Amino acid sequence: MTTSRWCQRWPERDQSRPGQPMPTWAYADADDRFDARGYEVRPIEERVGKPFVTERHYLRSYPAAVHQFGLFRRGELIGVAVYGNPPQDRVLTNHLPDLEPNRQSLVLQRLVLGPTEGNAETWTLGQCRALLLDKGVHAVITFADPSWGHVGIIYQAFNCIYLDTTDDRTTLWLPDGTCLDDRTLQKVRAQERGHAAAERRLVSFGARPMRAGEKPNLWLRQALADVKVTRRRTPGKHRYAMPLRKDVKVYKRDRNGRPVRVYRDPSKYPKPSPDLFAAMGVPL
């Protein structure tokens, strides 16, 4: 959700038209409660969630999931939430040092809703919270990408703790318009689970297969050159902590690198300029 009362919705991609699908908008009145009649959130398998997400999310990719849940309306899948591991454990341990990373703490990697009424996001997160607690997850780190008009209003409404903004970074984009995310690159470099699929993907775009005994990081460097990936400089993302239990302690690092406990402070929630809404076609 953006910072207006209009919620961004991503329709299914039209395969006959290249490029990104244009979002639609659902109005979320502050005084209206989400009518949950006919709605349900339940665990799903990747074969169910992946097509939904890749056809709608602007990154056009599906991360390696630890837990994934679907939002259903009268049996029809209309939303997907994907929780998984970050490229590096410190994404979790820097802010949730008391929790076991990748088990008690995870990253919300995708939250994609198709056309539905406003205020559905926060209700969906609440349902996911109960399911995650049953699986032993105590807290979640999540991000909002200002490049697409997001500042994390749904996380603010969910009483999340605003942490900071990540550094600006360079993202890599393949010829078909999909983003080659950091987690995928790390899988190749470290030869972690899923590296073979990532390598096949690069080979399909013109990279040569990795030779026996070849160092993965050197192969990856050459593969990216062979594929002619596009590099884009993108602004840092807003970072939030989402405690699922009252006893979870959240920290951030001070200027000397020492952990300092932080609490929810609504005055620190980011609010972008209305000019950004106009540029994205957000109704005001």
Side-chain angles (χ1 to χ4, degrees):
M1 185 188 287
T2 62
T3 54
S4 76
R5 286 291 172 188
W6 291 88
C7 307
Q8 199 175 70
R9 297 286 185 266
W10 290 97
E12 187 173 1
R13 191 180 306 276
D14 184 348
Q15 297 293 349
S16 66
R17 300 175 62 186
Q20 293 295 133
M22 292 301 296
T24 58
W25 305 92
Y27 188 74
D29 193 299
D31 297 324
D32 288 346
R33 293 181 63 85
F34 177 73
D35 186 353
R37 289 176 293 183
Y39 288 85
E40 177 190 11
V41 174
R42 63 175 184 261
I44 57 174
E45 297 179 356
E46 181 176 315
R47 62 180 178 81
V48 176
K50 185 174 182 178
F52 185 95
V53 170
T54 56
E55 286 300 315
R56 291 168 174 82
H57 195 268
Y58 60 89
L59 291 180
R60 298 180 63 182
S61 63
Y62 196 79
V66 175
H67 302 300
Q68 47 209 324
F69 307 109
L71 171 65
F72 293 85
R73 180 176 55 199
R74 298 179 178 85
E76 177 189 3
L77 181 67
I78 60 168
V80 172
V82 183
Y83 297 83
N85 303 330
Q88 299 174 328
D89 287 354
R90 60 185 175 86
V91 173
L92 299 168
T93 56
N94 277 354
H95 304 289
L96 303 165
D98 300 329
L99 302 181
E100 181 182 342
N102 307 320
R103 191 180 71 84
Q104 293 180 314
S105 59
L106 296 172
V107 171
L108 174 56
Q109 297 175 314
R110 298 285 188 276
L111 179 61
V112 182
L113 269 62
T116 185
E117 60 189 285
N119 288 327
E121 291 93 343
T122 308
W123 183 85
T124 301
L125 287 175
Q127 300 302 300
C128 290
R129 174 185 179 274
L131 294 168
L132 289 169
L133 284 170
D134 287 343
K135 296 179 180 296
V137 180
H138 296 178
V140 170
I141 297 295
T142 187
F143 300 87
D145 189 349
S147 299
W148 289 84
H150 301 294
V151 296
I153 290 296
I154 56 173
Y155 309 134
Q156 298 173 17
F158 204 66
N159 294 328
C160 293
I161 298 172
Y162 183 70
L163 297 170
D164 52 23
T165 303
T166 64
D167 295 334
D168 294 355
R169 65 193 184 99
T170 299
T171 53
L172 305 181
W173 296 81
L174 293 169
D176 66 346
T178 59
C179 181
L180 198 59
D181 59 78
D182 293 340
R183 183 72 183 119
T184 299
L185 298 174
Q186 179 60 21
K187 288 179 182 178
V188 175
R189 294 189 186 101
Q191 293 294 279
E192 299 175 356
R193 180 181 177 183
H195 73 90
E199 292 162 15
R200 287 194 299 270
R201 188 177 174 198
L202 290 171
V203 169
S204 71
F205 287 109
R208 62 166 176 77
M210 189 184 305
R211 302 188 183 98
E214 188 173 8
K215 293 183 177 180
N217 62 321
L218 297 181
W219 175 85
L220 179 61
R221 184 186 306 171
Q222 185 59 49
L224 295 177
D226 293 341
V227 170
K228 296 182 174 59
V229 296
T230 300
R231 289 175 166 81
R232 300 176 188 169
R233 194 66 178 169
T234 57
K237 298 179 181 180
H238 298 291
R239 177 163 34 202
Y240 292 82
M242 184 188 299
L244 306 182
R245 293 166 43 124
K246 292 182 178 180
D247 60 351
V248 170
K249 297 178 181 179
V250 180
Y251 298 83
K252 62 184 299 184
R253 303 281 175 170
D254 64 13
R255 294 181 178 179
N256 297 318
R258 294 173 299 193
V260 177
R261 189 172 179 186
V262 292
Y263 302 85
R264 178 176 177 267
D265 182 354
S267 68
K268 295 183 178 179
Y269 286 159
K271 308 290 183 186
S273 166
D275 294 341
L276 179 59
F277 302 151
M280 293 190 63
V282 181
L284 296 175

